[in-house]
Amino acid sequence: EQALEQGLPVMGVCRGMQLIQRLYGTILWRVDGHAARQRSIDRGGVQLIRTCYHNIGAKETIPDLEVLARAEDCVIEEVRHRRLPIRGLMWHPERIERPDADDVALFQSFFYEE
């Protein structure tokens, strides 16, 4: 809330995305098979392999949050707010040895081009 009051974009990774979802009223549930595993994620029709470390997630969200990616079990893996500069990821781009070019581009476009 403080970042938004100051006009700053907010990117929540894993627990940060969970906090974004809770802030807007999304109900979170225990999910199995997402902790310390690589997952296949559908991101707009493109299949990505990403490393996840969560056991809490959601399969539905509120209308203000647009779902951008889901795991094969329909757990939401990425959201963005429809009007505010808020984005959330459930995977950990920082926990791999060599950053993925798509993840780097995602962060660059969010923080520097929006």
Side-chain angles (χ1 to χ4, degrees):
E1 290 173 335
Q2 290 177 359
L4 293 173
E5 287 172 7
Q6 295 177 33
L8 300 172
V10 175
M11 173 75 77
V13 174
C14 197
R15 179 73 177 135
M17 178 170 150
Q18 292 169 350
L19 290 171
I20 289 167
Q21 288 183 305
R22 289 299 304 136
L23 177 67
Y24 289 98
T26 301
I27 297 172
L28 302 175
W29 304 94
R30 181 164 185 77
V31 297
D32 294 321
H34 287 250
R37 294 194 51 200
Q38 287 193 329
R39 303 290 300 184
S40 177
I41 295 172
D42 181 334
R43 189 167 191 260
V46 176
Q47 297 299 312
L48 306 173
I49 302 297
R50 295 294 184 261
T51 304
C52 298
Y53 292 90
H54 60 274
N55 59 10
I56 302 289
K59 291 187 178 183
E60 296 181 20
T61 192
I62 61 156
D64 283 346
L65 297 176
E66 176 184 8
V67 176
L68 300 177
R70 289 184 183 271
E72 65 273 8
D73 60 359
C74 293
V75 171
I76 298 169
E77 296 290 332
E78 182 180 9
V79 296
R80 78 172 158 214
H81 197 282
R82 293 184 188 275
R83 294 178 316 282
L84 301 172
I86 300 173
R87 197 150 191 166
L89 310 173
M90 288 304 290
W91 69 87
H92 285 266
E94 81 286 1
R95 288 190 128 183
I96 57 175
E97 188 173 323
R98 181 174 293 154
D100 182 276
D102 290 334
D103 289 340
V104 171
L106 184 150
F107 276 79
Q108 287 176 331
S109 68
F110 183 73
F111 287 106
Y112 301 110
E113 295 174 14
E114 286 192 359

